[in-house]
Amino acid sequence: MADAIGPMIRFVILVIVASLATACVSRPVGDFGRAQPSVKHDQVMPYIGSKIAANRGEPVSNLNQTDQEREMHDRTWRFLVAAHSRDWMFDTTAELQRTRIGPAKDYKYTPERYYNWLRTTQYQSSPTRYSTVGRHVLADLDTLPTTFLSVCAVLEVDRQRRVALAEVPGIEPDVAANVAARRTENQWHIDWFVRALNYRYQSYLYALDHLLVETPHEQSMQVDETLQRLRPFVDRANRGDFCSGGAGGGGGGSVTILSRFQTMVPDNEIIAQK
């Protein structure tokens, strides 16, 4: 076994080094940040990663991927990376984590990276940075409902697998182990999505607070209102509530929360969020 692992690891290292040299580690994405098909990213790297993960003693399944699982992975991907912002969410590291070639590193992310990208990006007008934050939050809001539904569908697939396993006689132990491994893999991916959503929300908050200090502007109030609409989705994700539907709210009456930005001096120059 050890003789087989040595050449494999050497091959993996060569693949990773070659990929880094050609700047092709980041996963290709299409419209709305959804993942695009790629033999390298969908077959080669996951195969290598599964061998490395198994060598680390992690659960690895070889079940065929359902349509629901594929949909979830494609839809959640835009929240795990941020191709529009010069890798502020570590796109290369995220791809190595997704394919299990590298260990999870998103636990170490700190929220100032998005703000640093904003403040070093050249704009003709400083309020445009507020508009940029607002557009990014709106893009998240537009895609979160369907992303939550895709997560819900995978949770249901895992439930159906467990029911079938309990009710169908004569299923081999290795199949049961495969089902358990796939459930763990799916839950790990969902947990990663939840952490990424929290990280985005905290990054937007950090950026908005620091923009308010660096370049005060009334535009902050409109962006803050948009950001408040994202918070219910974050709360639902943290509760593991992906299946209740709705627009992200947690039920109950509507309450108007005064923005901490409403003490700003009025400014007539408001840049619309597109």
Side-chain angles (χ1 to χ4, degrees):
M1 180 67 178
D3 293 339
I5 291 176
M8 181 195 73
I9 292 178
R10 287 195 293 272
F11 174 69
V12 169
I13 293 174
L14 287 174
V15 170
I16 294 173
V17 171
S19 297
L20 287 171
T22 55
C24 292
V25 172
S26 297
R27 192 181 187 190
V29 295
D31 295 340
F32 307 107
R34 292 186 62 176
Q36 284 187 325
S38 163
V39 172
K40 173 185 174 182
H41 292 270
D42 296 336
Q43 299 179 30
V44 177
M45 291 178 69
Y47 174 78
I48 295 171
S50 68
K51 301 301 182 184
I52 295 177
N55 193 49
R56 290 196 297 255
E58 298 174 359
V60 177
S61 71
N62 61 10
L63 297 177
N64 286 323
Q65 193 177 55
T66 66
D67 291 345
Q68 294 90 338
E69 288 166 334
R70 187 175 298 106
E71 178 83 0
M72 179 187 74
H73 281 258
D74 288 348
R75 287 193 178 276
T76 55
W77 185 244
R78 72 170 302 278
F79 293 94
L80 308 181
V81 297
H84 60 277
S85 303
R86 296 183 193 169
D87 200 20
W88 69 267
M89 282 187 67
F90 312 89
D91 296 357
T92 296
T93 302
E95 178 63 349
L96 294 177
Q97 179 173 334
R98 180 190 73 86
T99 56
R100 305 178 76 174
I101 290 175
K105 293 186 177 181
D106 65 290
Y107 296 94
K108 302 178 181 179
Y109 295 174
T110 51
E112 75 280 355
R113 190 174 175 91
Y114 177 64
Y115 171 66
N116 290 338
W117 169 78
L118 274 174
R119 72 187 307 270
T120 56
T121 299
Q122 297 299 314
Y123 291 101
Q124 291 184 342
S125 174
S126 60
T128 308
R129 291 186 176 87
Y130 289 104
S131 180
T132 298
V133 177
R135 288 198 305 272
H136 291 166
V137 177
L138 284 173
D140 290 349
L141 289 169
D142 285 343
T143 55
L144 272 169
T146 50
T147 303
F148 270 44
L149 288 175
S150 71
V151 174
C152 178
V154 169
L155 293 174
E156 175 61 16
V157 165
D158 280 332
R159 187 193 69 81
Q160 291 175 359
R161 283 196 182 110
R162 294 196 301 274
V163 170
L165 190 64
E167 294 184 352
V168 176
I171 296 296
E172 298 82 358
D174 62 325
V175 175
N178 235 332
V179 169
R182 176 57 59 85
R183 184 185 180 192
T184 298
E185 290 170 340
N186 285 339
Q187 190 58 55
W188 281 357
H189 189 88
I190 294 168
D191 291 344
W192 185 13
F193 165 65
V194 173
R195 294 194 303 269
L197 186 57
N198 277 277
Y199 178 69
R200 276 179 177 255
Y201 180 70
Q202 293 301 324
S203 296
Y204 295 143
L205 283 177
Y206 183 99
L208 197 51
D209 286 345
H210 285 73
L211 284 174
L212 183 65
V213 173
E214 183 174 8
T215 54
H217 196 274
E218 193 182 18
Q219 184 81 10
S220 62
M221 291 187 290
Q222 185 176 353
V223 178
D224 187 55
E225 185 277 331
T226 304
L227 191 53
Q228 287 185 39
R229 292 165 51 196
L230 183 61
R231 179 57 187 267
F233 283 104
V234 176
D235 291 340
R236 279 183 54 193
N238 288 332
R239 295 194 306 267
D241 175 16
F242 300 101
C243 302
S244 64
S254 61
V255 178
T256 301
I257 302 175
L258 293 178
S259 168
R260 63 190 183 283
F261 299 100
Q262 288 183 0
T263 57
M264 293 296 299
V265 177
D267 187 323
N268 292 327
E269 184 187 6
I270 301 293
I271 300 176
Q273 299 174 25
K274 299 181 180 178

